[in-house]
Amino acid sequence: MDTVAITQQLHALRDRMDWQRFHNPKNLAMAASVEMAELVECFQWLSDAQARELNTEQLEACGEEIADVVLYLLLLCAELKLDMPSVVADKLAKNAARWPEPKP
Amino acid sequence: MDTVAITQQLHALRDRMDWQRFHNPKNLAMAASVEMAELVECFQWLSDAQARELNTEQLEACGEEIADVVLYLLLLCAELKLDMPSVVADKLAKNAARWPEPKP
Amino acid sequence: MDTVAITQQLHALRDRMDWQRFHNPKNLAMAASVEMAELVECFQWLSDAQARELNTEQLEACGEEIADVVLYLLLLCAELKLDMPSVVADKLAKNAARWPEPKP
Amino acid sequence: MDTVAITQQLHALRDRMDWQRFHNPKNLAMAASVEMAELVECFQWLSDAQARELNTEQLEACGEEIADVVLYLLLLCAELKLDMPSVVADKLAKNAARWPEPKP
């Protein structure tokens, strides 16, 4: 996933629509959390079994909400001058250190 | 960001820790939403101006929460057999159709 | 606020609509969190100043989302056999102990 | 639940701690949503069956998070000059109109 190219597309749209004044880090975190809740909403009344067997329409809805969250997080990363691939790699390394593979 | 390789690392850790029984789509969406709230918590008492001038420690905390959300969303995508780069590309295309560039 | 009477009304509607099978504690917590996000959505693009000067329509929308959260929390309390007024009183007492009034 | 008396207690603590500058509607909605996520966290890895059989410690944790949400919503209502019992009653009336009892 080319996060730099995606962010450029997001910024082009933002600038064209004059949304920059709304896109401070606090608002972007809120917006990401609202999209996240729309993802949770896809599952709220489903049993665990039903949640494993979504139909095409439900899967498409989930995919769209996941995308919305990722896109707002990319906009947030840009405002904070964080690189998403780097923070993700750092967290993976931290997880690996916390739960190390057992030595042979 | 190589989402396939990252997902493989997440699955290796999950299998080693025997977390698979917890990782149904519903639980993963909830877990992602909890991490998202930890990101919101970074900003909850800050002014818009303060949120633009995070110090190193605050930035690191934000980065970690962003990573946690992305990692749970990757696990969720894997359970739903969705490809994160594809759903993100689809959403960008949808946005471009919704707010098209004005013709010259 | 007569939480017992309100819960009775909620249960009467739930039983009439045959929603009981959906109302386990986990789902109710998720549903409350989704309503909470709809409350957050009311504020997401507003400045702090604008959020202090909502118009009648915005206030009504906020009030409705607040009510939705409270109603799901009452349903959750009922499932968990918790009494909302009691848990609120307990938390107030805990806060008072944590930040005691200075002695004269 | 005497929401007026509770709000007075909350305001007394807020004023004593000099928290008023943080308590604008936007921040209070965010804070309520963060507490809500802590409630969701209580359930995130539990099965539906386990969520119905919480032990004393888990119930106490849930109760505390529910209380935290209610308390922030009361603070938010105060800032917005909304009366929680009234907005809850209005929503119950709206629900009753939306799903009316069948006529005999």
Side-chain angles (χ1 to χ4, degrees):
Chain A
M1 195 162 75
D2 184 345
T3 56
V4 172
I6 297 168
T7 303
Q8 281 171 348
Q9 280 190 62
L10 291 171
H11 282 172
L13 179 60
R14 174 199 69 184
D15 293 344
R16 190 147 49 78
M17 302 300 289
D18 198 20
W19 288 335
Q20 193 148 9
R21 63 213 147 107
F22 300 119
H23 284 196
N24 63 61
K26 192 166 166 171
N27 288 1
L28 290 168
M30 289 176 90
S33 81
V34 169
E35 298 300 334
M36 178 63 86
E38 293 181 10
L39 176 62
V40 169
E41 196 174 6
C42 298
F43 296 105
Q44 81 183 323
W45 303 123
L46 303 184
S47 68
D48 290 350
Q50 290 170 323
R52 287 192 176 287
E53 300 191 341
L54 302 184
N55 61 33
T56 311
E57 193 186 359
Q58 290 170 314
L59 272 177
E60 206 174 320
C62 277
E64 199 166 326
E65 302 306 344
I66 291 169
D68 281 334
V69 175
V70 172
L71 294 176
Y72 276 122
L73 291 182
L74 282 170
L75 285 165
L76 176 60
C77 282
E79 292 303 314
L80 298 177
K81 297 189 183 18
L82 289 172
D83 176 57
M84 185 185 282
S86 300
V87 298
V88 166
D90 289 351
K91 186 64 204 236
L92 281 173
K94 199 167 174 176
N95 284 349
R98 183 169 171 195
W99 296 289
E101 289 193 57
K103 301 236 172 82
Chain B
M1 196 163 73
D2 184 344
T3 57
V4 173
I6 296 168
T7 305
Q8 282 171 348
Q9 280 190 62
L10 290 171
H11 282 172
L13 179 61
R14 175 199 68 184
D15 294 344
R16 191 147 49 77
M17 301 301 289
D18 197 20
W19 289 335
Q20 193 148 9
R21 63 213 148 106
F22 299 119
H23 284 195
N24 62 61
K26 191 166 167 172
N27 287 1
L28 290 168
M30 289 175 89
S33 80
V34 169
E35 298 299 335
M36 178 63 86
E38 294 180 10
L39 176 62
V40 170
E41 196 174 6
C42 298
F43 296 104
Q44 80 183 321
W45 303 123
L46 303 184
S47 69
D48 291 350
Q50 289 170 322
R52 287 193 177 285
E53 300 191 340
L54 302 184
N55 62 32
T56 310
E57 193 185 1
Q58 289 169 314
L59 272 177
E60 204 175 322
C62 277
E64 199 166 326
E65 302 306 344
I66 290 168
D68 281 334
V69 175
V70 172
L71 294 176
Y72 275 122
L73 290 181
L74 282 170
L75 285 165
L76 176 59
C77 282
E79 292 303 313
L80 298 176
K81 297 190 183 18
L82 291 172
D83 177 57
M84 186 185 281
S86 300
V87 298
V88 166
D90 289 350
K91 187 64 204 238
L92 281 173
K94 200 167 172 174
N95 284 350
R98 184 169 170 196
W99 296 289
E101 289 191 58
K103 300 234 173 86
Chain C
M1 195 164 73
D2 184 344
T3 56
V4 173
I6 296 168
T7 305
Q8 282 171 349
Q9 280 190 61
L10 291 171
H11 283 172
L13 179 61
R14 175 199 67 184
D15 294 344
R16 189 147 51 77
M17 301 301 290
D18 197 22
W19 289 334
Q20 193 147 11
R21 64 214 147 103
F22 299 119
H23 283 196
N24 63 61
K26 190 165 167 171
N27 288 0
L28 290 167
M30 288 175 91
S33 80
V34 169
E35 298 299 335
M36 178 64 86
E38 294 180 9
L39 176 62
V40 170
E41 196 174 7
C42 297
F43 296 105
Q44 79 184 322
W45 303 123
L46 303 184
S47 69
D48 291 349
Q50 290 170 321
R52 289 193 176 284
E53 300 192 339
L54 302 184
N55 62 32
T56 311
E57 192 186 0
Q58 290 170 313
L59 271 177
E60 205 174 320
C62 277
E64 198 165 325
E65 303 305 345
I66 291 169
D68 281 334
V69 175
V70 172
L71 293 176
Y72 275 122
L73 291 181
L74 283 170
L75 285 166
L76 176 59
C77 282
E79 292 303 312
L80 298 177
K81 297 189 183 19
L82 290 172
D83 177 57
M84 185 186 282
S86 300
V87 299
V88 166
D90 289 351
K91 186 65 204 237
L92 281 173
K94 199 165 173 175
N95 284 349
R98 183 168 172 194
W99 296 288
E101 289 191 57
K103 300 232 173 89
Chain D
M1 195 162 75
D2 184 345
T3 55
V4 173
I6 296 168
T7 304
Q8 282 170 347
Q9 281 191 61
L10 290 170
H11 282 172
L13 178 61
R14 176 200 66 185
D15 293 344
R16 189 146 52 76
M17 301 301 290
D18 197 20
W19 289 335
Q20 193 147 9
R21 64 214 147 106
F22 299 119
H23 284 196
N24 62 61
K26 190 165 166 172
N27 287 0
L28 290 168
M30 288 176 90
S33 81
V34 169
E35 298 299 334
M36 178 62 87
E38 293 181 9
L39 177 62
V40 170
E41 196 174 7
C42 298
F43 295 106
Q44 81 183 323
W45 303 123
L46 302 185
S47 69
D48 290 349
Q50 289 170 323
R52 287 192 177 286
E53 301 192 339
L54 302 183
N55 62 32
T56 311
E57 193 186 359
Q58 289 171 314
L59 273 176
E60 205 173 320
C62 277
E64 198 165 326
E65 302 305 345
I66 291 168
D68 280 334
V69 175
V70 173
L71 294 175
Y72 275 122
L73 291 181
L74 283 169
L75 285 165
L76 175 60
C77 282
E79 292 303 314
L80 297 177
K81 296 190 183 18
L82 290 172
D83 177 57
M84 185 186 282
S86 301
V87 298
V88 167
D90 289 351
K91 185 67 203 237
L92 281 173
K94 199 166 174 176
N95 284 348
R98 183 170 172 194
W99 296 289
E101 289 192 57
K103 300 235 172 87

